[in-house]
């Protein structure tokens, strides 16, 4: 079974949108990625309308099975949080109108799912996104890579596509094929992530960091 996930990195000035197809073995293929923009010089209602129209067009054109949005979290910059929350609300409403299931993922969840380390930086996330999707370069700007990471994270964390997590060989090769995998086979980074989520691995953050370094060498 292949599922299509649309990931949204919400923002009022830049809103990243990434769409991926994820197969039963959880290998992922890029469908589309865009960054929707609105000028800070425009009235708020016009900015919301611009982003909304862009999201609607992508939802209707690509017909995803699921929508994943980055969960808003507190920051010192109140205006940034407000804009992010407003676009999140728009995205939630548009998905609901189409009867789509929406899941919110925190930045740490996304980082852990993609790299095996919940404190990975944007370059590490972008590198793994490119590797998983078999891309020659990291998607830019960072909003684009983050949106794709959200989509991949959703499929991997929720098991929407079924199957098992990809092997390190498949990830490193950036394979878009469907290789035969051993059920339950996890990469070192993914094992560290699993243990960290279960809370049963002493020093799991350090282990995840080490696993990430091995995976990205």
């Amino acid at each position: 079974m292949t599922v299509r996930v649309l990931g949204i990195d919400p923002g009022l000035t830049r809103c990243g949108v990434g769409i991926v197809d994820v197969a039963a073995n959880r290998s992922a293929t890029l469908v589309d990625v865009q960054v929707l923009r609105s000028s800070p010089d425009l009235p708020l209602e016009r900015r919301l309308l611009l982003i909304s129209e862009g999201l609607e067009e992508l939802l209707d054109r690509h017909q995803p099975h699921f929508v994943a949005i980055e969960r808003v979290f507190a920051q010192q910059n109140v205006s940034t949080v407000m804009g992010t929350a407003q676009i999140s609300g728009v995205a939630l409403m548009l998905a609901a109108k189409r009867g789509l299931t929406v899941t919110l993922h925190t930045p740490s969840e996304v980082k852990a799912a993609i790299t095996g380390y919940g404190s990975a930086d944007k370059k590490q996330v972008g590198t793994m996104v490119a590797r998983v999707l078999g891309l020659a370069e990291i998607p830019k700007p960072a909003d684009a890579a983050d949106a794709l990471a959200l989509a991949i994270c959703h499929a991997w964390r929720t098991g929407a596509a079924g199957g098992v997590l990809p092997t390190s060989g498949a990830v490193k090769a950036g394979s878009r094929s469907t290789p035969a995998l051993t059920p339950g086979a996890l990469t070192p980074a993914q094992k560290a992530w699993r243990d960290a989520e279960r809370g049963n691995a002493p020093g799991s953050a350090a282990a995840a960091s080490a696993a990430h370094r091995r995976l990205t060498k």
Side-chain angles (χ1 to χ4, degrees):
M1 174 185 178
T2 298
V3 298
R4 178 162 293 179
V5 185
L6 185 145
I8 300 174
D9 180 32
L12 192 53
T13 300
R14 296 186 309 275
C15 178
V17 185
I19 302 98
V20 298
D21 284 344
V22 183
N25 71 338
R26 305 207 179 181
S27 60
T29 303
L30 173 66
V31 175
D32 194 4
V33 61
Q34 295 189 28
V35 177
L36 307 175
R37 303 173 187 269
S38 72
S39 171
D41 297 329
L42 293 173
L44 175 60
E45 63 272 19
R46 287 289 303 164
R47 300 183 73 186
L48 292 172
L49 179 61
L50 280 173
I51 301 297
S52 173
E53 289 175 340
L55 289 173
E56 284 194 291
E57 193 276 329
L58 289 169
L59 284 165
D60 292 338
R61 173 151 54 99
H62 293 298
Q63 299 288 309
H65 300 107
F66 304 97
V67 174
I69 304 175
E70 182 173 285
R71 184 182 295 277
V72 179
F73 63 99
Q75 298 180 24
Q76 291 182 343
N77 191 331
V78 177
S79 62
T80 299
V81 173
M82 286 291 293
T84 301
Q86 287 163 338
I87 295 303
S88 295
V90 168
L92 285 162
M93 181 270 295
L94 294 175
K97 282 179 63 176
R98 290 159 176 77
L100 296 171
T101 299
V102 181
T103 303
L104 305 179
H105 298 282
T106 67
S108 293
E109 289 173 344
V110 176
K111 293 173 183 178
I114 299 301
T115 72
Y117 181 40
S119 297
D121 60 29
K122 285 187 176 295
K123 183 178 180 181
Q124 290 171 322
V125 172
T127 297
M128 288 306 297
V129 166
R131 191 168 292 176
V132 169
L133 294 175
L135 306 178
E137 297 180 350
I138 297 174
K140 296 180 180 179
D143 312 84
D146 289 347
L148 291 169
L150 274 157
I152 297 168
C153 165
H154 177 78
W156 286 5
R157 281 180 61 87
T158 63
V164 298
L165 292 170
T167 65
S168 57
V171 172
K172 287 183 179 180
S175 173
R176 297 185 185 183
S177 61
T178 307
L181 300 179
T182 302
L186 301 178
T187 69
Q190 289 158 352
K191 288 178 181 177
W193 163 50
R194 178 199 60 192
D195 292 340
E197 283 200 322
R198 291 176 177 175
N200 60 2
S204 55
S209 178
H212 168 73
R213 288 194 295 271
R214 290 195 299 270
L215 185 61
T216 54
K217 283 183 179 179

